[in-house]
Amino acid sequence: MNQSTTTKPTTFRWTIVGLLFLATTVNYLDRQVLSLTWKDFIAPEFHWDNNDYGNITALFSIFYAASMIFAGKFVDWMDTKKGFLWAIGVWSVGAVLHAFCGIATSGIILGDWFVSFEGAKHNIATVKDVSRVINVSVALFIFARLILAIGEAGNFPAAIKTTAEYFPKKDRALATSIFNAGATVGALAAPISIPFIAQALGWEMAFIIIGALGFLWMGIWIFYYKKPHEHPKVNEHELNYINQDIDKTIVEDLSEPKTTFTLAQCFKYRQTWAFAFGKFMTDGVWWFYLFWTPAYLSSVYGMDSTQSAFPLFVLYMITLVSIVGGWLPTYFVEKKGMNPYSGRMKAMLIFAFFPLLALLAQSTGKVSYWFPVLIIGIAGAAHQAWSANIFSTVGDMFPKKAIATITGIGGLAGGIGSTIINKSSGLLFDYSHKAWTTVDGVPLLEKFPQYAEQRLPEGFFEQLQKSGAVVSDGIDKGYMIIFSFCAVAYLIAWFVMKSLVPTYKIIKE
């Protein structure tokens, strides 16, 4: 039982939100280390191309989505304290494992396991069979991403569960918005820290240092977290505030039949298909921007990871505008008298128009790289506003007992969409890099037909340019195709969702 019984209510619940905020920040930092180091540091060592990186990011997306279905049940089973520790412990191990992929590649191919990071790099450079280096290293990174994805999938369910323990219903949206801001802060901190760590200490240390943050958080969580009624820093007045909904909850639980929604039942409803399709079409857009923007600035504008740090920081700063996503539907409901679903869908339609700016990313980029940076930032903010509302449509129409299951279905659909766009991007960028590039006005593959089925040698374009050839890289056309899909994905999703569920209809089964 808590020991603090002073007259003034304590506010310890906000300290708990601070811990959730830090966990979410670390979550996004760990997720972005690869995207900010592969192009300049990892690809030259392992001979990767865009397709190799696309395979890794595509599989991470599907691992993460599949894990989301089970993560909530795992956290419920282990309970909050142990569930969160397992989640962040697993993803921190996964993050650190990336650093040892070079040593493991050296060990598997050459049998030399007990080497330093530099020693492994030297060993790999002596291997003549480049394809084996690629295959082994990609497989090892995929395994590390699998561990990372399994752990990271537990962050959101554990944070939501903690919020429900420490806050009454009326404050949970605010608490959730605060800890969820850690995603943006993590995205902001990543480009101004990770590339510089990699440059100074090696890409391996970037994974180790950022991964170690999770273990530090675990130490705080172990000694700081207890249930509200057991915590000495929560006094009676704060506990009464936290538990103000308890009587209502008891009434709701008694009035609601003790049944669950099976997966088969969920798929009977158009609302499920509408939500799943919306996630399928749009989740991949956000993952594309997150995973491929550093490579875009490198491939099209020749920036290394330190040069792109400030533009990426500005890009993610713009996404903070997405807080409007939570305010606008409330305005439509409270001021315009619309029902929750109609107000939310109207807000989502407005947000769906902003990504159309991505159609201008390539053409305006010829003037300055700042134009595509700003455009991607605006599109990212629109996505976050859209995402906040599409999740809420589930609660608008489904009973509480079905929300976790429906959300898991949508997460899986979004993961499948993310897998497709990441894999397609890698294939398309490598194809356009060769098939649509010209050298002195002649298509590259006409001039060098031997590379139709072979990888281009590292530094091939740089060598051509040094010899005086005029090279026009076709990869920008590949990016234009993906940007075009990203631009229209939200409007397509909105119209399909609206067609499936034209009016507000609550499911009461």
Side-chain angles (χ1 to χ4, degrees):
M1 190 70 180
N2 69 64
Q3 301 165 5
S4 184
T5 56
T6 56
T7 303
K8 186 178 179 181
T10 52
T11 56
F12 183 74
R13 61 192 182 279
W14 296 107
T15 303
I16 293 295
V17 169
L19 286 176
L20 302 181
F21 168 85
L22 289 175
T24 306
T25 301
V26 173
N27 184 292
Y28 262 72
L29 279 169
D30 283 329
R31 193 176 300 185
Q32 282 195 265
V33 179
L34 182 60
S35 66
L36 290 165
T37 55
W38 84 273
K39 193 75 173 178
D40 293 337
F41 303 101
I42 298 175
E45 183 172 335
F46 299 114
H47 314 289
W48 290 358
D49 59 17
N50 289 300
N51 185 44
D52 298 319
Y53 176 66
N55 287 333
I56 295 169
T57 56
L59 287 169
F60 173 82
S61 298
I62 199 67
F63 293 153
Y64 181 80
S67 300
M68 283 284 288
I69 296 178
F70 307 104
K73 291 185 181 296
F74 177 80
V75 171
D76 283 337
W77 176 57
M78 293 296 294
D79 207 14
T80 313
K81 186 171 188 173
K82 291 181 180 178
F84 221 143
L85 285 172
W86 270 102
I88 200 164
V90 168
W91 97 54
S92 297
V93 168
V96 173
L97 276 178
H98 289 72
F100 297 92
C101 288
I103 291 175
T105 301
S106 169
I108 291 170
I109 296 176
L110 298 172
D112 193 356
W113 292 89
F114 301 101
V115 291
S116 64
F117 293 135
E118 278 300 314
K121 185 175 182 179
H122 173 76
N123 286 349
I124 292 166
T126 65
V127 178
K128 302 297 184 182
D129 188 352
V130 171
S131 63
R132 191 165 184 220
V133 171
I134 295 168
N135 293 334
V136 170
S137 63
V138 167
L140 290 168
F141 271 87
I142 287 171
F143 175 74
R145 295 310 270 183
L146 169 63
I147 305 301
L148 182 70
I150 291 172
E152 288 200 340
N155 180 71
F156 194 74
I160 290 293
K161 186 176 175 67
T162 306
T163 303
E165 290 176 349
Y166 266 88
F167 288 86
K169 290 180 181 179
K170 67 186 183 71
D171 291 344
R172 288 175 194 171
L174 175 60
T176 300
S177 67
I178 291 172
F179 83 69
N180 199 42
T184 299
V185 172
L188 283 168
I192 59 173
S193 59
I194 292 167
F196 298 95
I197 295 172
Q199 188 176 56
L201 304 174
W203 63 266
E204 298 92 346
M205 289 306 298
F207 283 102
I208 291 172
I209 291 171
I210 300 300
L213 296 176
F215 296 118
L216 293 175
W217 184 94
M218 289 173 68
I220 300 171
W221 185 253
I222 288 172
F223 294 105
Y224 227 59
Y225 174 84
K226 287 182 175 69
K227 299 285 187 184
H229 65 279
E230 298 174 344
H231 212 297
K233 293 185 179 294
V234 178
N235 68 10
E236 184 179 354
H237 297 287
E238 184 177 15
L239 187 61
N240 289 337
Y241 182 84
I242 292 169
N243 292 333
Q244 64 184 265
D245 298 318
I246 194 164
D247 292 336
K248 297 177 185 177
T249 303
I250 291 171
V251 172
E252 289 174 4
D253 288 345
L254 289 173
S255 63
E256 190 171 285
K258 298 297 180 181
T259 58
T260 58
F261 264 58
T262 65
L263 282 173
Q265 282 178 298
C266 292
F267 283 112
K268 292 193 304 183
Y269 299 104
R270 285 171 170 256
Q271 289 89 336
T272 303
W273 290 100
F275 175 67
F277 185 81
K279 294 286 287 179
F280 172 79
M281 287 296 296
T282 60
D283 272 17
V285 175
W286 172 250
W287 291 112
F288 170 76
Y289 289 144
L290 196 67
F291 289 148
W292 285 97
T293 300
Y296 168 69
L297 294 176
S298 174
S299 297
V300 178
Y301 299 102
M303 295 184 187
D304 63 30
S305 53
T306 56
Q307 292 170 328
S308 64
F310 183 64
L312 289 171
F313 178 82
V314 172
L315 187 157
Y316 291 118
M317 276 292 292
I318 296 171
T319 64
L320 289 172
V321 178
S322 63
I323 57 173
V324 176
W327 169 83
L328 191 57
T330 302
Y331 170 79
F332 288 140
V333 172
E334 294 183 353
K335 302 297 184 182
K336 299 297 183 181
M338 303 176 74
N339 65 58
Y341 177 73
S342 298
R344 217 173 293 286
M345 289 300 288
K346 185 171 183 178
M348 288 169 66
L349 179 61
I350 293 170
F351 302 141
F353 279 101
F354 284 96
L356 291 175
L357 288 170
L359 293 170
L360 304 175
Q362 281 298 90
S363 57
T364 56
K366 294 176 181 177
V367 179
S368 169
Y369 66 82
W370 279 109
F371 283 106
V373 166
L374 296 175
I375 286 170
I376 294 170
I378 293 169
H383 170 85
Q384 292 292 62
W386 165 282
S387 183
N389 282 279
I390 194 172
F391 271 118
S392 298
T393 61
V394 178
D396 289 340
M397 293 182 291
F398 283 92
K400 288 187 296 181
K401 62 187 176 183
I403 289 175
T405 304
I406 300 296
T407 302
I409 291 170
L412 180 59
I416 293 170
S418 301
T419 300
I420 292 171
I421 194 172
N422 278 299
K423 175 60 179 173
S424 300
S425 296
L427 289 170
L428 178 61
F429 298 154
D430 278 344
Y431 176 81
S432 60
H433 194 44
K434 291 197 296 186
W436 298 336
T437 293
T438 60
V439 179
D440 294 328
V442 179
L444 174 71
L445 295 182
E446 282 188 23
K447 205 172 184 71
F448 304 97
Q450 67 270 31
Y451 294 123
E453 302 297 331
Q454 298 177 20
R455 290 175 182 248
L456 292 173
E458 292 174 27
F460 181 66
F461 285 5
E462 289 80 0
Q463 292 173 8
L464 287 175
Q465 289 170 331
K466 285 179 182 178
S467 69
V470 178
V471 179
S472 177
D473 196 339
I475 198 169
D476 60 341
K477 298 180 180 66
Y479 275 100
M480 183 63 209
I481 291 173
I482 301 296
F483 282 143
S484 297
F485 169 77
C486 294
V488 301
Y490 297 86
L491 284 173
I492 294 172
W494 190 91
F495 281 110
V496 172
M497 291 176 69
K498 189 67 173 174
S499 299
L500 288 169
V501 188
T503 58
Y504 185 40
K505 184 179 180 181
I506 300 176
I507 296 169
K508 297 180 180 179
E509 286 188 28

